[in-house]
Amino acid sequence: MAHELHHTEGFILASYDLKEADSLLRILTGDFGLVLVQARGLRKLPSKLRYHATLFNQADISLVRGREVWRLVAVNEAAVMARLRRDPAKWRIYLDILALLRRFFHGEEENQILFNDLKSGFLWLANEADQVELQKNFECVLVLRILKQLGYLADVADLRPFIDFIDWSGDIVGQMADYRPTALSLINRSFQAATV
């Protein structure tokens, strides 16, 4: 019986060791939501998958649907990863955002809006946000947008422009400087409410 091959993009949010050399990956995908993916032989030295199927990587992936979990067939690191890794401050922001997702994203339903926001946001961060102030603003804006998509954020009229915009731009991110104390307070309240 032939299995249909599915190509998608994803962020690897968790990795668990299985058996002698297999891994179980939790991947937030653009097309299927949050999925469990078995990667056979991933931890073996000759594995072609091991260098791109790493924790917190953004990648183009190929999957087949198994009875209980998806199986990883191929993976290639997204081009944006090299640019983010070259800048320690940008890389820290990227890792912090994915750690936040790992903590708060639990549903398996597809969330294309959230996925596209992450993808386009990280691309903007890699290419545009070279100033420390812009990086801080970017992180604040993206966290607001994530919390809103996941239902953890109360509506605050002053912050709507940062939640409702369509395309990332230096203008919208730059404007966050004036609202960052308000945004950080709201983010912290959302974190506290989510952990109670």
Side-chain angles (χ1 to χ4, degrees):
M1 180 175 138
H3 293 284
E4 184 180 355
L5 191 61
H6 301 275
H7 303 283
T8 189
E9 297 173 281
F11 295 94
I12 301 172
L13 300 183
S15 178
Y16 311 99
D17 292 346
L18 284 179
K19 300 181 184 174
E20 198 170 297
D22 296 352
S23 291
L24 187 64
L25 307 174
R26 187 170 295 277
I27 304 176
L28 176 62
T29 69
D31 297 313
F32 308 109
L34 190 63
V35 295
L36 279 175
V37 177
Q38 184 178 11
R40 290 191 176 151
L42 181 69
R43 292 180 289 129
K44 290 182 179 176
L45 284 178
S47 172
K48 294 177 183 178
L49 303 176
R50 72 179 283 141
Y51 299 104
H52 299 296
T54 57
L55 185 61
F56 294 137
N57 211 359
Q58 179 183 347
D60 298 314
I61 58 177
S62 298
L63 306 168
V64 292
R65 182 81 167 155
R67 272 190 234 130
E68 296 177 15
V69 296
W70 293 84
R71 284 187 293 127
L72 186 65
V73 175
V75 59
N76 290 299
E77 184 174 89
V80 71
M81 296 302 295
R83 291 192 298 265
L84 288 169
R85 280 193 186 100
R86 278 195 293 267
D87 185 317
K90 292 179 182 182
W91 185 240
R92 183 204 50 81
I93 291 169
Y94 174 83
L95 292 176
D96 287 349
I97 295 291
L98 289 189
L100 172 80
L101 275 174
R102 181 179 175 165
R103 180 177 171 195
F104 287 101
F105 194 104
H106 300 292
E108 294 190 11
E109 69 278 354
E110 177 189 343
N111 191 330
Q112 192 71 49
I113 295 170
L114 174 61
F115 186 87
N116 289 339
D117 212 22
L118 290 168
K119 185 179 165 187
S120 61
F122 289 137
L123 186 61
W124 187 87
L125 174 66
N127 293 331
E128 305 294 333
D130 292 328
Q131 299 168 347
V132 172
E133 191 69 15
L134 270 183
Q135 293 169 4
K136 290 178 183 178
N137 291 346
F138 166 83
E139 185 172 19
C140 198
V141 171
L142 187 53
V143 169
L144 282 173
R145 292 170 71 87
I146 290 169
L147 292 175
K148 183 65 174 176
Q149 281 296 315
L150 297 180
Y152 291 109
L153 189 70
D155 189 30
V156 174
D158 289 348
L159 298 177
R160 276 191 207 132
F162 305 105
I163 295 168
D164 295 337
F165 69 84
I166 304 296
D167 295 317
W168 287 91
S169 72
D171 290 340
I172 194 74
V173 175
Q175 291 170 21
M176 174 50 76
D178 295 333
Y179 296 90
R180 209 161 63 216
T182 302
L184 289 172
S185 175
L186 184 61
I187 288 168
N188 288 331
R189 284 197 311 271
S190 297
F191 286 170
Q192 290 168 356
T195 57
V196 172

